[in-house]
Amino acid sequence: DKLHTALHEVIGHASGQINKGVGKPKATLKSYASTLEEGRADLVGLFYLYNPKLQELGLVDDWKSVGKAAYDGYIRNGLMTQLVRLEPGADIEEAHMRNRQWVSAWVFEKGKKDNVIEKVVRNGKTYYNITDYDKLHDLFGQLLKETQRIKSEGDYKAGQALVETYGVKVDQAIHKEVLERNAKFNSA
């Protein structure tokens, strides 16, 4: 998690360019600029977390284990865990929460054909199980490419569609389950 945050902040936010003649994201992408930038930075971190270069640089002992753990945690948080912060029936409003959901929901949907992430319900509890980390890595790369294109070109309609389709509405059945499962936990 700390390595993902470092990659997000240092490489993610410091990368990418706006095409010549395109205005700043606050002007072109408007209310979606923040969540798209946070998602883009997350995607940079996610893409590079699952890379042998991390081990070559001496940052980790086993790049695959680190990448898999990060992917597991990110998908679990984006699709479920972060929902404990919302009241029942609420939409996601906060930029970071939106980006975690639109990234996770997009790769979940786009990977369905190949069962990259399977939704498992066992004993009335929902789990998301990543079955193919290499394909998930590729999906993160595809989404990073599209998110950077949106930012570089100032494509408001594509940014709006991405966020509104995948990042705002909450699956109410999953939300109820998450709140019930979390009710026994009394820590802040």
Side-chain angles (χ1 to χ4, degrees), residues 13-104:
H13 285 309
S15 66
Q17 295 181 352
I18 307 296
N19 291 354
K20 192 172 184 147
V22 174
K24 293 185 178 188
K26 286 286 183 196
T28 61
L29 301 174
K30 302 174 183 162
S31 63
Y32 300 105
S34 181
T35 191
L36 288 166
E37 174 56 19
E38 293 302 330
R40 194 188 64 77
D42 266 3
L43 286 160
V44 169
L46 290 164
F47 187 77
Y48 288 106
L49 264 172
Y50 193 72
N51 189 305
K53 188 70 172 175
L54 294 177
Q55 195 165 333
E56 289 173 32
L57 293 170
L59 297 172
V60 298
D61 292 329
D62 180 359
W63 68 272
K64 274 200 170 185
S65 293
V66 168
K68 287 177 177 182
Y71 283 13
D72 289 341
Y74 193 89
I75 295 299
R76 181 176 51 250
N77 187 37
L79 295 177
M80 293 186 77
T81 310
Q82 71 175 358
L83 299 178
V84 301
R85 298 171 54 195
L86 298 177
E87 294 296 323
D91 287 340
I92 299 175
E93 300 292 338
E94 198 274 329
H96 292 84
M97 288 180 70
R98 278 186 172 187
N99 93 256
R100 287 187 290 266
Q101 180 167 296
W102 65 253
V103 167
S104 299

Side-chain angles (χ1 to χ4, degrees), residues 15 39 72 74 110 119 122 158 165 168 171:
S15 66
D72 289 341
Y74 193 89
K110 299 303 179 188
K119 182 178 178 179
R122 190 171 54 242
T165 301
V168 176
D171 179 321

Side-chain angles (χ1 to χ4, degrees), residues 135-176:
K135 285 184 181 175
L136 181 55
H137 175 259
D138 291 343
L139 288 169
F140 283 140
Q142 291 171 33
L143 184 54
L144 172 57
K145 180 180 177 182
E146 174 60 7
T147 306
Q148 183 60 57
R149 184 201 66 75
I150 290 168
K151 183 177 179 182
S152 295
E153 297 176 3
D155 188 343
Y156 176 82
K157 287 187 179 190
Q160 179 185 38
L162 182 60
V163 174
E164 293 294 335
T165 301
Y166 298 100
V168 176
K169 294 297 179 191
V170 175
D171 179 321
Q172 293 304 310
I174 293 285
H175 190 198
K176 182 179 183 216

